[in-house]
Amino acid sequence: MNLKEVIHTRRSVRTFTSQAVPPQALEELLAAAMQAPSAGNEQPWQFVVIDDRRILDAIPQISPYAPMCRVAPLAVLVCGDMREAHHAGYWVQDCSAATENLLLTVHDLGLGAVWTGVYPNQERVASFRELLNLPEEIVPVALVAIGVPADRAESVPRFNPSRIHRNGW
Ligand SMILES: Cc1cc2nc3c(=O)[nH]c(=O)nc-3n(C[C@H](O)[C@H](O)[C@H](O)COP(=O)(O)O)c2cc1C
């Protein structure tokens, strides 16, 4: 797929087959995430790869909008690393850029994924910290469930000229 096609046909995938994600694909996904721009090029991110069925099954208990983890063979928790984040507050945007790179690459590889929100929900942040034994300076931002799609939604154009403002509001 070319870039335009990847961007315009990506949709969230929430139903997966039982097929595993090949290790080379996972490495490609993480490399794409790490290629994202970041404030001051700090790259203040860490990634927790989750493929343990017991942990995947426990996620919906702490993140109610992530029930697909019961079926997904893999999830990646994108985290901010406060030891590397010296441009105040920008780490959330840095991690979000990494997450989007990951999602687009998932789609380009013919896989499917959905971004499930963690930060800034402090209860979810604390629960993921406990579940995965994260150090204090690591803040979970987004959990991406990944797998081979069992179903894929059609893309819907979202271009909306009323959201564009020229040279001021
Ligand atoms: C910050 C953020 C948090 C999200 N959290 C969830 C979530 O917890 N569960 C879920 O199923 N989808 C979640 N989504 C996915 C959105 O629902 C989805 O991107 C949106 O409906 C647009 O659909 P599309 O991704 O198919 O284009 C989240 C997306 C973002 C960007």
Side-chain angles (χ1 to χ4, degrees):
M1 269 189 265
N2 65 35
L3 178 64
K4 189 173 162 184
E5 202 180 342
V6 172
I7 289 173
H8 288 276
T9 63
R10 182 216 56 82
R11 292 296 312 272
S12 291
V13 170
R14 299 182 176 85
T15 53
F16 304 99
T17 71
S18 56
Q19 277 172 278
V21 173
Q24 320 84 272
L26 174 61
E27 187 167 327
E28 203 173 321
L29 299 178
L30 295 171
M34 293 182 204
Q35 207 60 39
S38 59
N41 196 21
E42 282 176 345
Q43 303 166 43
W45 41 57
Q46 301 282 348
F47 302 90
V48 182
V49 174
I50 305 166
D51 58 5
D52 181 325
R53 177 45 53 205
R54 283 168 310 168
I55 301 175
L56 289 166
D57 284 347
I59 289 172
Q61 291 159 38
I62 61 170
S63 192
Y65 303 108
M68 69 295 289
C69 289
R70 290 197 191 92
V71 182
L74 178 72
V76 172
L77 184 69
V78 182
C79 302
D81 186 341
M82 296 310 104
R83 295 167 302 190
E84 306 293 335
H86 305 297
H87 286 71
Y90 285 111
W91 60 272
V92 183
Q93 294 161 65
D94 301 336
C95 288
S96 300
T99 305
E100 179 68 357
N101 270 13
L102 201 158
L103 288 182
L104 291 174
T105 306
V106 160
H107 183 49
D108 192 35
L109 293 177
L111 299 167
V114 58
W115 174 332
T116 68
V118 180
Y119 187 86
N121 182 315
Q122 292 306 319
E123 203 181 318
R124 269 180 231 166
V125 167
S127 300
F128 272 103
R129 240 199 210 116
E130 199 183 324
L131 180 69
L132 299 168
N133 208 16
L134 306 177
E136 251 335 280
E137 56 284 1
I138 301 302
V139 185
V141 174
L143 180 92
V144 183
I146 307 167
V148 174
D151 192 21
R152 222 184 247 291
E154 288 285 304
S155 65
V156 182
R158 294 178 180 150
F159 181 69
N160 181 352
S162 75
R163 296 293 178 94
I164 303 168
H165 311 273
R166 282 192 205 284
N167 305 315
W169 191 258

